Amino acid sequence: MKVLLTGANGYIGKHLLPMLIKEGHEVICCVRNKKRAQYLLKYPNVTLFEVDFLKPVDIKKAPKNFDVAFYLIHSLAASVHGFEEMEKQSARHFLQHCELASAKQIIFLTGIVNEKNLSPHLRSRKNVERVLKNSPIPLTVLRAAIIVGSGSASFEIIRDLVEKLPLMIAPAWLNTRCQPIALEDVIGYLNGVMLNPACLNETFDIGGTDILTYKEMLLEYAKVRKLKRYIFTIPLMTPRLSSYWLYFITSVNYRIAVNLVESMQVEVVCKDNRLGEMLDTKPISYEQSIRNTFKRIEPNMIVSSWRDSFISSSAQDRLMDFVHVPENGVLKEKRTVEIDRRDKERVLNNIWSIGGKRGWYYANSLWKIRGIIDKLFGGTGLKRGRTHPNDIQNGDALDFWRVILADKQSARLLLFAEMKLPGEAWLEFKIEEQNARLYLKQTATFRPYGLKGRIYWYMLFPAHLFIFTNMAKNLVKYK
Protein backbone atom coordinates (compact mmCIF):
# COMPACT_ATOMS: atom_id res chain seq x y z
CA MET A 1 0.00 0.00 0.00
CA LYS A 2 1.19 3.54 -0.72
CA VAL A 3 0.67 6.12 2.04
CA LEU A 4 0.85 9.92 2.10
CA LEU A 5 1.99 11.04 5.56
CA THR A 6 1.56 14.71 6.46
CA GLY A 7 3.16 15.92 9.66
CA ALA A 8 5.99 13.44 9.07
CA ASN A 9 8.33 15.65 11.12
CA GLY A 10 5.82 15.94 13.95
CA TYR A 11 5.48 13.97 17.15
CA ILE A 12 2.84 11.46 15.96
CA GLY A 13 4.21 11.27 12.43
CA LYS A 14 7.68 10.25 13.60
CA HIS A 15 6.18 7.41 15.65
CA LEU A 16 3.73 6.29 12.96
CA LEU A 17 6.33 6.11 10.18
CA PRO A 18 8.30 3.11 11.58
CA MET A 19 5.03 1.20 12.01
CA LEU A 20 4.03 1.87 8.40
CA ILE A 21 7.45 0.77 7.14
CA LYS A 22 7.32 -2.36 9.31
CA GLU A 23 3.96 -3.24 7.74
CA GLY A 24 5.59 -3.06 4.30
CA HIS A 25 3.99 0.16 3.04
CA GLU A 26 5.59 2.75 0.77
CA VAL A 27 5.43 6.17 2.44
CA ILE A 28 5.50 9.66 0.94
CA CYS A 29 6.51 11.99 3.78
CA CYS A 30 5.19 15.53 3.42
CA VAL A 31 7.70 18.01 4.89
CA ARG A 32 8.10 21.75 4.71
CA ASN A 33 11.83 21.56 4.19
CA LYS A 34 13.61 18.59 2.65
CA LYS A 35 16.99 19.61 4.05
CA ARG A 36 15.98 19.10 7.66
CA ALA A 37 14.10 15.88 6.88
CA GLN A 38 16.88 13.90 5.20
CA TYR A 39 17.09 11.62 8.25
CA LEU A 40 13.68 10.17 7.29
CA LEU A 41 15.34 8.59 4.26
CA LYS A 42 17.09 6.12 6.55
CA TYR A 43 13.86 4.09 6.30
CA PRO A 44 13.34 1.93 3.20
CA ASN A 45 10.52 2.83 0.77
CA VAL A 46 10.37 6.47 1.91
CA THR A 47 10.27 9.48 -0.40
CA LEU A 48 10.05 13.17 0.56
CA PHE A 49 7.57 15.68 -0.83
CA GLU A 50 8.31 19.31 0.07
CA VAL A 51 5.04 21.16 0.58
CA ASP A 52 3.48 23.89 2.71
CA PHE A 53 -0.27 23.26 2.90
CA LEU A 54 -0.86 26.87 3.90
CA LYS A 55 -0.30 27.52 0.19
CA PRO A 56 -1.97 25.88 -2.83
CA VAL A 57 -0.21 22.64 -3.77
CA ASP A 58 1.69 22.57 -7.04
CA ILE A 59 -0.24 19.68 -8.55
CA LYS A 60 2.28 19.20 -11.37
CA LYS A 61 4.99 18.34 -8.83
CA ALA A 62 2.75 16.64 -6.25
CA PRO A 63 2.58 12.83 -5.94
CA LYS A 64 -0.74 11.49 -7.20
CA ASN A 65 -0.40 7.76 -6.69
CA PHE A 66 -1.26 6.86 -3.08
CA ASP A 67 -4.02 4.88 -1.38
CA VAL A 68 -4.26 6.42 2.10
CA ALA A 69 -3.53 9.96 3.29
CA PHE A 70 -2.91 10.78 6.95
CA TYR A 71 -3.77 14.31 8.00
CA LEU A 72 -1.66 15.02 11.11
CA ILE A 73 -1.26 18.78 10.71
CA HIS A 74 -2.18 21.25 13.45
CA SER A 75 -1.37 24.82 14.43
CA LEU A 76 -1.42 24.52 18.21
CA ALA A 77 1.67 26.71 18.57
CA ALA A 78 1.28 28.90 15.50
CA SER A 79 -0.24 31.72 17.54
CA VAL A 80 -2.31 32.39 20.64
CA HIS A 81 -5.24 33.49 18.48
CA GLY A 82 -6.04 33.52 14.78
CA PHE A 83 -4.95 29.99 13.96
CA GLU A 84 -8.46 28.75 13.08
CA GLU A 85 -8.41 30.17 9.56
CA MET A 86 -4.88 28.83 9.04
CA GLU A 87 -6.03 25.32 9.96
CA LYS A 88 -9.02 25.45 7.61
CA GLN A 89 -6.81 26.74 4.80
CA SER A 90 -4.31 23.89 5.28
CA ALA A 91 -7.13 21.35 5.23
CA ARG A 92 -8.61 22.78 2.02
CA HIS A 93 -5.26 22.69 0.19
CA PHE A 94 -4.66 19.14 1.44
CA LEU A 95 -8.09 18.08 0.12
CA GLN A 96 -7.45 19.67 -3.27
CA HIS A 97 -4.31 17.57 -3.54
CA CYS A 98 -6.01 14.33 -2.45
CA GLU A 99 -9.00 14.80 -4.77
CA LEU A 100 -6.71 15.05 -7.80
CA ALA A 101 -4.83 11.95 -6.69
CA SER A 102 -5.86 8.31 -6.27
CA ALA A 103 -6.61 8.48 -2.54
CA LYS A 104 -9.13 5.93 -1.29
CA GLN A 105 -9.16 7.12 2.34
CA ILE A 106 -8.19 10.10 4.50
CA ILE A 107 -7.38 9.49 8.18
CA PHE A 108 -7.56 12.47 10.53
CA LEU A 109 -6.29 12.43 14.13
CA THR A 110 -7.92 15.17 16.17
CA GLY A 111 -9.15 15.99 19.68
CA ILE A 112 -12.29 14.85 21.50
CA VAL A 113 -14.99 17.46 20.86
CA ASN A 114 -18.10 16.20 22.65
CA GLU A 115 -18.82 19.32 24.72
CA LYS A 116 -20.96 22.25 23.52
CA ASN A 117 -18.54 24.91 24.74
CA LEU A 118 -15.18 24.20 23.16
CA SER A 119 -11.85 26.00 23.45
CA PRO A 120 -10.60 27.85 20.34
CA HIS A 121 -8.14 25.02 19.69
CA LEU A 122 -10.77 22.25 19.92
CA ARG A 123 -13.27 24.34 17.96
CA SER A 124 -10.66 24.74 15.23
CA ARG A 125 -10.07 20.98 15.18
CA LYS A 126 -13.81 20.43 14.74
CA ASN A 127 -13.88 22.91 11.86
CA VAL A 128 -11.04 21.06 10.15
CA GLU A 129 -13.05 17.86 10.51
CA ARG A 130 -15.98 19.55 8.75
CA VAL A 131 -13.71 20.66 5.89
CA LEU A 132 -12.31 17.16 5.42
CA LYS A 133 -15.80 15.64 5.42
CA ASN A 134 -16.73 17.91 2.52
CA SER A 135 -15.09 15.53 0.06
CA PRO A 136 -16.04 12.38 -1.86
CA ILE A 137 -12.97 10.63 -0.42
CA PRO A 138 -13.97 8.41 2.55
CA LEU A 139 -12.82 9.96 5.82
CA THR A 140 -11.95 8.19 9.07
CA VAL A 141 -11.70 10.45 12.12
CA LEU A 142 -9.97 9.42 15.34
CA ARG A 143 -10.58 11.75 18.28
CA ALA A 144 -8.18 11.52 21.21
CA ALA A 145 -7.62 13.38 24.47
CA ILE A 146 -4.17 13.59 26.06
CA ILE A 147 -1.67 11.23 24.44
CA VAL A 148 0.75 9.76 26.96
CA GLY A 149 4.14 8.83 25.57
CA SER A 150 7.81 9.66 25.61
CA GLY A 151 8.35 13.16 24.28
CA SER A 152 4.70 14.25 23.99
CA ALA A 153 3.91 17.81 25.11
CA SER A 154 1.20 16.55 27.49
CA PHE A 155 3.50 14.01 29.11
CA GLU A 156 6.34 16.54 29.43
CA ILE A 157 4.00 18.97 31.22
CA ILE A 158 2.90 16.29 33.68
CA ARG A 159 6.49 15.20 34.15
CA ASP A 160 7.80 18.75 34.73
CA LEU A 161 5.08 19.62 37.25
CA VAL A 162 5.38 16.46 39.33
CA GLU A 163 9.16 16.13 39.24
CA LYS A 164 9.76 19.78 40.17
CA LEU A 165 6.96 20.70 42.58
CA PRO A 166 6.40 18.81 45.87
CA LEU A 167 3.54 21.22 46.60
CA MET A 168 1.27 22.70 43.94
CA ILE A 169 -1.19 25.55 44.31
CA ALA A 170 -2.96 24.86 41.05
CA PRO A 171 -5.82 26.22 38.91
CA ALA A 172 -9.34 24.83 39.29
CA TRP A 173 -9.21 23.26 35.83
CA LEU A 174 -7.11 20.47 37.34
CA ASN A 175 -10.50 19.05 38.39
CA THR A 176 -11.57 18.71 34.73
CA ARG A 177 -12.00 15.10 33.59
CA CYS A 178 -9.93 13.58 30.81
CA GLN A 179 -9.53 10.14 29.23
CA PRO A 180 -5.82 9.82 28.38
CA ILE A 181 -4.58 7.28 25.87
CA ALA A 182 -1.16 5.66 25.45
CA LEU A 183 0.91 6.59 22.43
CA GLU A 184 1.24 2.95 21.35
CA ASP A 185 -2.56 2.59 21.34
CA VAL A 186 -2.94 5.68 19.12
CA ILE A 187 -0.39 4.32 16.64
CA GLY A 188 -2.12 0.93 16.70
CA TYR A 189 -5.51 2.52 15.95
CA LEU A 190 -4.10 4.66 13.13
CA ASN A 191 -2.60 1.56 11.56
CA GLY A 192 -5.71 -0.56 12.17
CA VAL A 193 -8.20 1.71 10.38
CA MET A 194 -6.22 1.89 7.11
CA LEU A 195 -8.59 0.84 4.30
CA ASN A 196 -10.65 -1.07 6.84
CA PRO A 197 -14.14 -1.18 5.22
CA ALA A 198 -15.87 -0.90 8.62
CA CYS A 199 -13.98 2.34 9.38
CA LEU A 200 -14.64 4.30 6.18
CA ASN A 201 -16.75 7.45 6.70
CA GLU A 202 -16.75 6.81 10.46
CA THR A 203 -15.76 8.88 13.50
CA PHE A 204 -14.36 7.25 16.63
CA ASP A 205 -13.42 8.53 20.07
CA ILE A 206 -10.28 6.75 21.27
CA GLY A 207 -9.18 6.65 24.89
CA GLY A 208 -7.53 4.52 27.52
CA THR A 209 -9.22 2.52 30.26
CA ASP A 210 -9.25 5.34 32.85
CA ILE A 211 -11.25 8.54 33.17
CA LEU A 212 -9.30 10.86 35.48
CA THR A 213 -9.11 14.50 36.45
CA TYR A 214 -5.85 16.26 35.61
CA LYS A 215 -5.14 16.33 39.34
CA GLU A 216 -5.56 12.55 39.53
CA MET A 217 -3.25 12.17 36.54
CA LEU A 218 -0.54 14.18 38.29
CA LEU A 219 -0.92 12.17 41.50
CA GLU A 220 -0.90 8.85 39.61
CA TYR A 221 2.34 9.89 37.93
CA ALA A 222 3.77 10.73 41.36
CA LYS A 223 2.70 7.32 42.65
CA VAL A 224 4.46 5.51 39.79
CA ARG A 225 7.59 7.58 40.39
CA LYS A 226 7.31 7.02 44.18
CA LEU A 227 7.12 10.74 44.92
CA LYS A 228 5.01 12.40 47.61
CA ARG A 229 3.10 15.30 46.09
CA TYR A 230 0.40 17.60 47.45
CA ILE A 231 -1.95 19.51 45.17
CA PHE A 232 -4.42 22.21 46.19
CA THR A 233 -6.68 23.85 43.61
CA ILE A 234 -7.91 27.43 43.87
CA PRO A 235 -10.56 29.15 41.72
CA LEU A 236 -8.70 32.48 41.65
CA MET A 237 -6.18 31.58 38.96
CA THR A 238 -7.36 33.01 35.63
CA PRO A 239 -6.58 31.32 32.29
CA ARG A 240 -3.85 33.92 31.67
CA LEU A 241 -2.24 33.26 35.07
CA SER A 242 -2.59 29.52 34.46
CA SER A 243 -0.78 29.91 31.16
CA TYR A 244 2.10 31.76 32.82
CA TRP A 245 2.15 29.07 35.55
CA LEU A 246 2.64 26.34 32.92
CA TYR A 247 5.06 28.45 30.89
CA PHE A 248 7.47 29.17 33.75
CA ILE A 249 7.39 25.73 35.39
CA THR A 250 7.31 23.48 32.34
CA SER A 251 9.17 23.36 29.03
CA VAL A 252 6.24 24.46 26.82
CA ASN A 253 6.32 27.84 25.12
CA TYR A 254 3.72 30.48 25.90
CA ARG A 255 1.62 29.93 22.76
CA ILE A 256 1.23 26.22 23.53
CA ALA A 257 0.55 26.99 27.21
CA VAL A 258 -2.32 29.36 26.36
CA ASN A 259 -3.97 26.95 23.92
CA LEU A 260 -3.54 23.98 26.26
CA VAL A 261 -4.96 25.81 29.27
CA GLU A 262 -8.04 26.82 27.28
CA SER A 263 -8.51 23.21 26.14
CA MET A 264 -7.89 21.78 29.62
CA GLN A 265 -11.00 23.57 30.88
CA VAL A 266 -13.09 21.39 28.55
CA GLU A 267 -13.95 17.81 29.52
CA VAL A 268 -12.49 15.35 27.01
CA VAL A 269 -14.09 11.94 27.62
CA CYS A 270 -15.00 9.32 25.02
CA LYS A 271 -18.65 8.86 24.07
CA ASP A 272 -18.06 6.44 21.20
CA ASN A 273 -15.23 4.12 22.22
CA ARG A 274 -16.13 1.10 20.02
CA LEU A 275 -13.00 1.07 17.84
CA GLY A 276 -11.09 -1.15 20.25
CA GLU A 277 -13.75 -3.87 19.92
CA MET A 278 -13.88 -3.50 16.14
CA LEU A 279 -10.10 -3.97 15.89
CA ASP A 280 -10.04 -6.56 18.68
CA THR A 281 -7.58 -4.55 20.77
CA LYS A 282 -7.73 -3.42 24.37
CA PRO A 283 -6.11 -0.12 25.37
CA ILE A 284 -3.74 -0.03 28.32
CA SER A 285 -4.28 1.86 31.57
CA TYR A 286 -2.88 5.30 32.36
CA GLU A 287 -0.55 3.80 34.96
CA GLN A 288 0.82 1.29 32.45
CA SER A 289 1.28 3.98 29.81
CA ILE A 290 3.49 5.93 32.26
CA ARG A 291 5.52 2.80 33.06
CA ASN A 292 5.94 2.05 29.34
CA THR A 293 7.05 5.61 28.73
CA PHE A 294 9.85 5.31 31.27
CA LYS A 295 10.96 2.04 29.75
CA ARG A 296 11.75 4.08 26.63
CA ILE A 297 13.17 7.11 28.41
CA GLU A 298 15.68 5.23 30.56
CA PRO A 299 17.56 3.56 27.65
CA ASN A 300 17.14 6.74 25.52
CA MET A 301 14.74 5.12 23.05
CA ILE A 302 12.64 8.25 22.49
CA VAL A 303 11.78 8.33 18.78
CA SER A 304 10.68 11.95 18.79
CA SER A 305 9.75 14.81 21.04
CA TRP A 306 7.36 17.73 20.56
CA ARG A 307 10.35 19.96 21.44
CA ASP A 308 12.15 18.85 18.29
CA SER A 309 9.25 19.93 16.12
CA PHE A 310 9.32 23.50 14.82
CA ILE A 311 6.22 24.16 16.96
CA SER A 312 8.59 24.83 19.85
CA SER A 313 10.70 27.18 17.73
CA SER A 314 10.55 30.95 17.75
CA ALA A 315 11.57 31.24 14.09
CA GLN A 316 9.68 28.11 12.97
CA ASP A 317 10.01 27.51 9.20
CA ARG A 318 12.60 30.28 8.74
CA LEU A 319 15.25 28.26 10.55
CA MET A 320 16.83 26.73 7.45
CA ASP A 321 17.51 30.29 6.25
CA PHE A 322 20.21 30.39 8.94
CA VAL A 323 22.24 27.41 7.71
CA HIS A 324 24.69 29.85 6.08
CA VAL A 325 26.35 31.92 8.79
CA PRO A 326 26.73 35.53 7.61
CA GLU A 327 30.16 37.11 7.29
CA ASN A 328 29.24 40.77 6.89
CA GLY A 329 27.79 43.01 9.58
CA VAL A 330 28.45 40.49 12.34
CA LEU A 331 30.44 40.26 15.57
CA LYS A 332 32.44 37.10 16.26
CA GLU A 333 34.09 35.33 19.16
CA LYS A 334 36.50 32.64 17.90
CA ARG A 335 38.38 30.04 19.90
CA THR A 336 40.84 27.43 18.56
CA VAL A 337 42.22 24.55 20.65
CA GLU A 338 44.64 21.91 19.39
CA ILE A 339 43.53 18.26 19.63
CA ASP A 340 45.63 15.14 19.86
CA ARG A 341 44.66 12.95 16.90
CA ARG A 342 44.01 10.05 19.25
CA ASP A 343 41.37 12.17 21.01
CA LYS A 344 39.38 13.24 17.95
CA GLU A 345 36.54 10.76 18.48
CA ARG A 346 36.25 11.63 22.18
CA VAL A 347 36.15 15.39 21.48
CA LEU A 348 33.58 14.84 18.73
CA ASN A 349 31.41 12.87 21.15
CA ASN A 350 31.76 15.70 23.68
CA ILE A 351 30.47 18.16 21.09
CA TRP A 352 27.57 15.84 20.26
CA SER A 353 26.69 15.62 23.98
CA ILE A 354 26.56 19.35 24.67
CA GLY A 355 23.56 20.83 26.48
CA GLY A 356 20.82 19.05 28.41
CA LYS A 357 22.08 17.19 31.48
CA ARG A 358 25.72 17.37 30.33
CA GLY A 359 25.55 21.15 30.24
CA TRP A 360 27.82 23.57 28.40
CA TYR A 361 31.21 22.52 29.80
CA TYR A 362 31.79 25.75 31.69
CA ALA A 363 29.80 28.02 34.03
CA ASN A 364 26.61 25.95 33.86
CA SER A 365 25.10 28.10 36.61
CA LEU A 366 25.47 31.16 34.36
CA TRP A 367 23.80 29.30 31.49
CA LYS A 368 20.92 28.46 33.85
CA ILE A 369 20.59 32.11 34.89
CA ARG A 370 20.54 33.09 31.21
CA GLY A 371 17.77 30.51 30.71
CA ILE A 372 15.71 31.99 33.56
CA ILE A 373 16.14 35.50 32.13
CA ASP A 374 15.10 34.21 28.73
CA LYS A 375 11.93 32.68 30.21
CA LEU A 376 11.09 35.96 31.96
CA PHE A 377 11.24 37.76 28.62
CA GLY A 378 9.09 35.17 26.84
CA GLY A 379 11.82 32.94 25.40
CA THR A 380 12.22 29.17 25.47
CA GLY A 381 14.70 29.00 28.37
CA LEU A 382 16.77 25.90 29.00
CA LYS A 383 13.86 23.62 29.90
CA ARG A 384 13.50 21.97 26.51
CA GLY A 385 16.79 20.17 27.16
CA ARG A 386 17.56 17.59 24.50
CA THR A 387 15.87 14.36 23.40
CA HIS A 388 18.92 12.08 23.45
CA PRO A 389 22.13 12.45 25.51
CA ASN A 390 24.57 11.97 22.62
CA ASP A 391 22.64 11.84 19.35
CA ILE A 392 21.73 14.99 17.42
CA GLN A 393 19.72 15.43 14.22
CA ASN A 394 19.12 18.50 12.09
CA GLY A 395 16.17 20.43 13.52
CA ASP A 396 16.50 19.11 17.10
CA ALA A 397 15.96 21.44 20.02
CA LEU A 398 19.00 21.86 22.26
CA ASP A 399 18.09 23.94 25.32
CA PHE A 400 17.52 27.43 23.89
CA TRP A 401 19.35 26.58 20.66
CA ARG A 402 18.15 24.83 17.51
CA VAL A 403 20.34 22.39 15.58
CA ILE A 404 20.71 23.77 12.08
CA LEU A 405 23.37 21.34 10.90
CA ALA A 406 24.70 18.20 12.59
CA ASP A 407 27.22 16.51 10.32
CA LYS A 408 29.31 14.12 12.39
CA GLN A 409 31.14 12.77 9.35
CA SER A 410 32.59 16.20 8.58
CA ALA A 411 32.81 17.02 12.33
CA ARG A 412 30.61 20.13 12.22
CA LEU A 413 27.77 21.20 14.50
CA LEU A 414 25.92 24.47 13.87
CA LEU A 415 23.40 25.88 16.35
CA PHE A 416 21.06 28.85 15.99
CA ALA A 417 19.91 30.74 19.10
CA GLU A 418 16.20 30.71 19.92
CA MET A 419 16.60 32.79 23.08
CA LYS A 420 15.31 36.36 23.17
CA LEU A 421 18.07 38.54 21.72
CA PRO A 422 18.47 41.97 20.08
CA GLY A 423 19.92 40.15 17.08
CA GLU A 424 20.59 36.71 15.63
CA ALA A 425 23.21 34.32 17.01
CA TRP A 426 24.98 31.18 15.84
CA LEU A 427 27.32 28.83 17.70
CA GLU A 428 29.49 26.58 15.56
CA PHE A 429 31.86 23.74 16.42
CA LYS A 430 34.23 22.23 13.85
CA ILE A 431 37.19 19.87 14.00
CA GLU A 432 39.60 20.72 11.21
CA GLU A 433 43.10 19.88 10.10
CA GLN A 434 45.55 22.72 9.57
CA ASN A 435 49.29 22.47 8.89
CA ALA A 436 49.21 18.75 9.67
CA ARG A 437 47.64 19.44 13.08
CA LEU A 438 44.10 18.93 14.34
CA TYR A 439 42.07 21.73 15.94
CA LEU A 440 38.70 22.35 17.53
CA LYS A 441 37.37 25.61 16.11
CA GLN A 442 34.54 27.18 18.08
CA THR A 443 32.87 30.31 16.70
CA ALA A 444 30.09 32.43 18.21
CA THR A 445 28.56 34.77 15.61
CA PHE A 446 26.15 37.61 16.41
CA ARG A 447 24.28 39.75 13.90
CA PRO A 448 22.99 42.71 15.96
CA TYR A 449 19.73 44.56 15.43
CA GLY A 450 21.07 48.08 15.34
CA LEU A 451 22.64 49.93 18.24
CA LYS A 452 20.88 48.01 21.00
CA GLY A 453 22.29 44.76 19.61
CA ARG A 454 25.84 46.12 19.64
CA ILE A 455 25.42 47.43 23.19
CA TYR A 456 24.19 43.98 24.26
CA TRP A 457 27.21 42.26 22.68
CA TYR A 458 29.83 44.54 24.20
CA MET A 459 28.17 44.51 27.65
CA LEU A 460 28.48 40.71 27.69
CA PHE A 461 31.90 40.60 26.04
CA PRO A 462 33.86 40.07 29.32
CA ALA A 463 31.56 37.18 30.31
CA HIS A 464 31.77 35.70 26.80
CA LEU A 465 35.55 35.91 26.95
CA PHE A 466 35.70 33.57 29.96
CA ILE A 467 32.75 31.36 29.03
CA PHE A 468 33.69 30.64 25.42
CA THR A 469 37.41 30.29 26.16
CA ASN A 470 36.88 27.74 28.90
CA MET A 471 34.08 25.96 27.06
CA ALA A 472 36.41 25.24 24.13
CA LYS A 473 39.20 24.06 26.46
CA ASN A 474 36.86 21.80 28.43
CA LEU A 475 35.35 20.27 25.29
CA VAL A 476 38.84 19.01 24.50
CA LYS A 477 39.73 18.00 28.08
CA TYR A 478 36.45 16.36 29.17
CA LYS A 479 36.70 12.59 29.64
Side-chain angles (χ1 to χ4, degrees), residues 300-350:
N300 301 308
M301 293 171 60
I302 302 175
V303 174
S304 71
S305 169
W306 72 273
R307 292 167 292 183
D308 295 333
S309 168
F310 277 169
I311 66 169
S312 71
S313 166
S314 56
Q316 295 191 30
D317 293 325
R318 294 176 55 239
L319 283 172
M320 291 313 295
D321 296 340
F322 303 118
V323 71
H324 300 293
V325 183
E327 292 293 331
N328 300 316
V330 298
L331 301 163
K332 292 197 175 189
E333 178 69 31
K334 295 183 178 180
R335 290 290 174 267
T336 301
V337 183
E338 188 173 355
I339 303 171
D340 189 307
R341 288 187 178 277
R342 293 169 297 180
D343 294 332
K344 179 181 177 180
E345 194 64 28
R346 177 178 57 77
V347 175
L348 191 59
N349 288 334
N350 285 344

Side-chain angles (χ1 to χ4, degrees), residues 30 47 102 111 147 237-238 246 278 282 290 318 390 427 470:
C30 296
T47 55
S102 58
I147 297 173
M237 201 174 285
T238 65
L246 277 187
M278 291 174 61
K282 185 177 180 181
I290 294 173
R318 294 176 55 239
N390 49 34
L427 185 57
N470 287 288

Side-chain angles (χ1 to χ4, degrees), residues 63-299:
K64 300 179 182 65
N65 180 25
F66 52 88
D67 303 295
V68 176
F70 283 94
Y71 192 73
L72 304 178
I73 298 171
H74 69 81
S75 302
L76 178 65
S79 63
V80 174
H81 302 291
F83 55 82
E84 293 183 57
E85 188 54 42
M86 291 171 59
E87 291 212 318
K88 285 193 288 186
Q89 192 175 34
S90 290
R92 292 190 193 106
H93 292 152
F94 167 80
L95 264 190
Q96 289 169 6
H97 176 201
C98 290
E99 287 174 357
L100 291 173
S102 58
K104 301 179 180 68
Q105 182 189 26
I106 293 171
I107 300 172
F108 176 42
L109 178 64
T110 182
I112 292 177
V113 287
N114 294 326
E115 297 298 301
K116 289 184 178 180
N117 296 318
L118 298 173
S119 68
H121 171 61
L122 290 175
R123 186 171 62 243
S124 178
R125 299 274 76 197
K126 194 167 186 177
N127 288 336
V128 169
E129 189 178 318
R130 291 193 184 106
V131 171
L132 296 177
K133 282 181 176 177
N134 188 27
S135 169
I137 302 172
L139 174 69
T140 302
V141 180
L142 303 187
R143 296 172 173 173
I146 279 184
I147 297 173
V148 182
S150 53
S152 81
S154 304
F155 177 78
E156 295 299 333
I157 287 173
I158 293 168
R159 184 183 181 187
D160 281 347
L161 290 174
V162 177
E163 299 281 356
K164 294 174 183 177
L165 300 177
L167 172 66
M168 292 181 225
I169 308 298
W173 51 256
L174 252 68
N175 293 318
T176 304
R177 294 195 311 161
C178 174
Q179 192 165 351
I181 182 170
L183 172 65
E184 52 260 54
D185 287 333
V186 174
I187 301 302
Y189 284 140
L190 288 170
N191 183 58
V193 299
M194 289 176 60
L195 292 187
N196 186 325
C199 299
L200 300 179
N201 291 316
E202 292 284 351
T203 299
F204 304 98
D205 289 353
I206 56 173
T209 59
D210 304 305
I211 298 173
L212 305 164
T213 65
Y214 290 107
K215 180 178 177 179
E216 289 170 335
M217 289 172 65
L218 292 169
L219 292 174
E220 185 67 27
Y221 177 99
K223 178 183 173 184
V224 171
R225 296 287 287 157
K226 299 179 181 179
L227 298 169
K228 286 189 177 182
R229 292 297 183 258
Y230 303 93
I231 304 173
F232 301 95
T233 57
I234 57 173
L236 303 176
M237 201 174 285
T238 65
R240 181 176 288 269
L241 285 175
S242 297
S243 301
Y244 282 121
W245 182 69
L246 277 187
Y247 168 68
F248 282 112
I249 295 171
T250 72
S251 54
V252 298
N253 65 37
Y254 182 69
R255 296 187 301 272
I256 293 178
V258 170
N259 291 323
L260 282 177
V261 164
E262 288 175 336
S263 295
M264 284 173 170
Q265 297 175 76
V266 179
E267 188 171 274
V268 279
V269 176
C270 297
K271 288 188 177 178
D272 175 10
N273 201 7
R274 59 199 160 95
L275 185 59
E277 293 181 9
M278 291 174 61
L279 300 180
D280 194 25
T281 61
K282 185 177 180 181
I284 64 175
S285 67
Y286 175 65
E287 178 186 349
Q288 189 59 49
S289 67
I290 294 173
R291 295 189 186 280
N292 289 357
T293 296
F294 273 94
K295 286 179 184 177
R296 295 183 180 91
I297 289 175
E298 286 163 4

Side-chain angles (χ1 to χ4, degrees), residues 17-53:
L17 179 58
M19 168 71 81
L20 295 174
I21 298 301
K22 184 180 178 182
E23 294 290 319
H25 304 304
E26 292 182 56
V27 184
I28 304 163
C29 292
C30 296
V31 296
R32 289 187 179 182
N33 193 298
K34 279 187 176 181
K35 290 180 181 178
R36 72 170 292 262
Q38 290 298 307
Y39 68 94
L40 295 175
L41 296 175
K42 68 182 179 182
Y43 295 105
N45 299 320
V46 166
T47 55
L48 301 181
F49 172 46
E50 190 171 85
V51 61
D52 181 356
F53 284 109

Side-chain angles (χ1 to χ4, degrees), residues 354-412:
I354 201 166
K357 291 182 180 179
R358 173 71 66 90
W360 293 85
Y361 293 96
Y362 184 75
N364 282 330
S365 58
L366 293 180
W367 286 93
K368 288 176 182 176
I369 291 170
R370 183 63 181 88
I372 293 169
I373 293 171
D374 191 53
K375 271 280 189 180
L376 290 172
F377 282 89
T380 60
L382 292 177
K383 292 183 179 178
R384 292 187 309 188
R386 52 180 293 158
T387 303
H388 194 281
N390 49 34
D391 182 50
I392 299 177
Q393 301 290 338
N394 293 354
D396 283 1
L398 196 60
D399 292 338
F400 45 39
W401 300 87
R402 179 70 59 169
V403 178
I404 300 298
L405 180 66
D407 187 346
K408 206 166 188 179
Q409 189 172 354
S410 63
R412 184 187 177 207

